[in-house]
């Protein structure tokens, strides 16, 4: 009976107080963006994700919040689309492969180029250091340093170490997003 009451309560909350939000997920190729979105949406982690061509859209539900996730391709030919898909969203998620130190200078340049766009000035930024389950990973402090995140001012910014494979810190990511759903 308690399960039925909980289901009914959740349904009523969703029906009358549902909140929708949009987030754009960007980052270099092979950072694990698509795997991360799949796991957040309740699907299984797969090792063999094919590279995203242009974008994928996936919906993630957390309580009474429905989060539309725009997962953009990270290859050079798609990076010029990032700014267009980041306009007017509730948050931008920038994903890096925490085990790929060599990609950090390019990731830093792409992130700062994106954030320099005036149209994105007040949008909160969540940086996710994915693949935190790997041994050779960078710490969150190392990622903050490598991406020069302390230089990013005039915007809310957070950085978490996550693992799509092990589902590490994904609940914290969802809570961070839900907290920005009304903004």
């Amino acid at each position: 009976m308690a399960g039925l009451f909980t289901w009914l309560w959740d349904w009523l909350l969703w029906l009358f107080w549902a909140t929708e939000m949009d987030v754009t997920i960007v980052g270099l190729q092979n950072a694990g963006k698509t795997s991360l979105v799949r796991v957040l949406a309740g699907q299984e982690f797969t090792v063999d994700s094919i590279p995203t061509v242009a974008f994928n859209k996936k919906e993630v539900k957390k309580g009474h919040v429905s989060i539309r996730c725009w997962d953009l391709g990270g290859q050079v030919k798609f990076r010029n689309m990032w700014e267009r898909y980041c306009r007017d969203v509730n948050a931008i998620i920038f994903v890096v492969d925490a085990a790929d130190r060599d990609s950090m200078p390019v990731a830093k340049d792409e992130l700062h180029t994106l954030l320099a766009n005036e149209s994105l000035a007040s949008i909160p930024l969540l940086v996710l250091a994915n693949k935190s389950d790997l041994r050779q990973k960078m710490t969150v402090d190392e990622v903050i340093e490598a991406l020069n995140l302390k230089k990013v001012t005039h915007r809310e910014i957070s950085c978490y170490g996550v693992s799509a494979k092990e589902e590490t810190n994904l609940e914290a990511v969802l809570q961070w997003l839900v907290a920005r759903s009304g903004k």
Side-chain angles (χ1 to χ4, degrees):
M1 187 64 148
L4 178 63
F5 179 74
T6 302
W7 176 85
L8 182 61
W9 178 251
D10 287 345
W11 181 76
L12 287 170
L13 279 175
W14 180 254
L15 186 63
F16 295 107
W17 293 285
T19 302
E20 293 183 344
M21 69 181 296
D22 289 291
V23 299
T24 301
I25 302 167
V26 295
L28 303 184
Q29 66 275 14
N30 300 318
K33 300 176 298 295
T34 301
S35 295
L36 190 63
V37 173
R38 285 180 49 81
V39 173
L40 286 172
Q43 297 175 325
E44 286 187 29
F45 175 83
T46 59
V47 176
D48 316 347
S49 277
I50 58 170
T52 301
V53 176
F55 68 90
N56 292 318
K57 180 183 167 195
K58 182 117 9 222
E59 195 159 320
V60 175
K61 293 190 185 300
K62 173 67 175 167
H64 67 283
V65 178
S66 177
I67 307 167
R68 280 183 301 271
C69 299
W70 297 92
D71 166 24
L72 303 185
Q75 299 88 339
V76 173
K77 63 184 173 185
F78 299 123
R79 294 178 196 163
N80 62 351
M81 299 178 5
W82 290 1
E83 185 270 338
R84 194 175 12 191
Y85 280 89
C86 288
R87 291 183 211 151
D88 301 320
V89 296
N90 298 85
I92 298 168
I93 300 176
F94 190 80
V95 181
V96 296
D97 179 342
D100 185 0
R101 293 174 188 272
D102 294 339
S103 71
M104 288 299 164
V106 174
K108 178 186 83 168
D109 291 345
E110 293 293 343
L111 175 62
H112 287 274
T113 298
L114 178 67
L115 297 180
N117 288 289
E118 191 63 34
S119 61
L120 311 179
S122 62
I123 300 172
L125 174 67
L126 177 59
V127 176
L128 298 179
N130 193 23
K131 305 182 185 181
S132 66
D133 56 300
L134 299 178
R135 233 194 248 191
Q136 66 273 26
K137 70 175 181 305
M138 297 173 70
T139 66
V140 169
D141 287 339
E142 289 173 318
V143 170
I144 289 169
E145 183 70 28
L147 296 178
N148 203 8
L149 294 180
K150 292 181 180 173
K151 182 182 175 190
V152 178
T153 57
H154 301 92
R155 111 174 31 245
E156 180 183 359
I157 184 169
S158 294
C159 184
Y160 295 129
V162 300
S163 169
K165 182 179 180 182
E166 301 291 326
E167 299 187 22
T168 306
N169 268 351
L170 299 188
E171 186 62 30
V173 168
L174 288 172
Q175 288 176 5
W176 189 94
L177 289 170
V178 168
R180 278 128 199 99
S181 65
K183 295 182 179 186

